[in-house]
């Protein structure tokens, strides 16, 4: 356990875990839509934007996993 994680009150931890779960669902939807968009016949400019969305959604998913790991450790 990290020092800061150990100080999270139980009710706040529970609420943050619930929010992280909901965020995971939203990020997963974005990732799936991004994947489907990448399957379309896009011009180079649109492909760059689709790639940006894909990278950002993957970054969000990783950050959210890290947050969930911290919250799990402090439970």
């Amino acid at each position: 356990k990290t020092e800061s994680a150990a100080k999270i009150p139980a009710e706040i931890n529970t609420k943050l875990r619930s929010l992280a779960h909901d965020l995971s669902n939203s990020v997963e939807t974005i990732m799936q839509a991004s994947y489907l968009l990448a399957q379309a016949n896009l011009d180079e400019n649109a492909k760059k934007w689709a790639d940006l969305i894909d990278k950002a959604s993957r970054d969000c998913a990783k950050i959210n996993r890290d947050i969930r790991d911290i919250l799990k450790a402090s439970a």
Side-chain angles (χ1 to χ4, degrees):
K1 291 184 182 181
T2 63
E3 193 65 31
S4 60
K7 296 180 183 178
I8 299 172
E11 68 273 4
I12 293 174
N13 183 294
T14 300
K15 180 62 176 174
L16 289 173
R17 289 177 74 171
S18 176
L19 290 169
H21 175 80
D22 292 345
L23 181 59
S24 290
N25 291 339
S26 295
V27 170
E28 183 63 30
T29 299
I30 295 166
M31 291 174 74
Q32 290 176 8
S34 176
Y35 171 79
L36 293 173
L37 181 61
Q39 304 307 304
N41 187 13
L42 304 174
D43 64 35
E44 283 306 309
N45 191 46
K47 183 167 174 24
K48 288 179 186 175
W49 285 109
D51 289 344
L52 181 69
I53 294 167
D54 181 62
K55 182 182 180 329
S57 66
R58 291 179 188 281
D59 291 346
C60 286
K62 183 187 180 322
I63 292 166
N64 196 45
R65 280 191 305 272
D66 292 346
I67 290 170
R68 291 175 80 169
D69 288 345
I70 291 168
L71 292 171
K72 187 185 292 184
S74 71

